[in-house]
Amino acid sequence: MLRVKVTPEDFEESASDGWVDGQVQGRSGIWVYVELGKEVEYSPRPSDDPKTDYKCFKGCGVFYGKSQEMLEEEEWLFTDENITVIIYC
């Protein structure tokens, strides 16, 4: 499971089979472009911030880069498929 911080605009517009880009939680300097899979109900964790919104997507394709510029130029460090991704803002 991967947690990705996204902009409020991307969060609001996110939906099944859409896409977002953002920064991987806890990994400074790691950015991802995510082809969203199916949105499923998010199950909160005790450590979640109550002031933060979360969404969960299963079956996502994830493309990793060291910057947003790398993502825009489709210069991936590596990719993952069929990943569960939690987005938050």
Side-chain angles (χ1 to χ4, degrees):
M1 185 166 19
L2 186 68
R3 288 180 169 241
V4 178
K5 183 174 184 176
V6 300
T7 64
E9 295 81 17
D10 280 354
F11 184 86
E12 289 302 319
E13 294 175 7
S14 65
S16 294
D17 300 320
W19 66 272
V20 295
D21 61 359
Q23 195 163 22
V24 176
Q25 182 182 36
R27 302 284 180 156
S28 177
I30 301 294
W31 292 80
V32 290
Y33 170 83
V34 181
E35 292 177 343
L36 298 171
K38 180 178 169 122
E39 185 173 1
V40 296
E41 186 174 340
Y42 177 70
S43 298
R45 291 181 167 181
S47 61
D48 286 347
D49 184 338
K51 297 178 184 174
T52 301
D53 292 321
Y54 300 89
K55 289 184 182 180
C56 181
F57 295 87
K58 292 194 176 258
C60 301
V62 182
F63 303 82
Y64 296 82
K66 288 189 176 184
S67 67
Q68 280 189 303
E69 291 77 23
M70 281 184 77
L71 300 180
E72 290 169 6
E73 296 177 13
E74 298 183 7
E75 295 178 4
W76 321 124
L77 295 174
F78 59 95
T79 63
D80 275 332
E81 292 188 29
N82 203 25
I83 303 295
T84 297
V85 174
I86 308 289
I87 64 169
Y88 67 96
C89 70

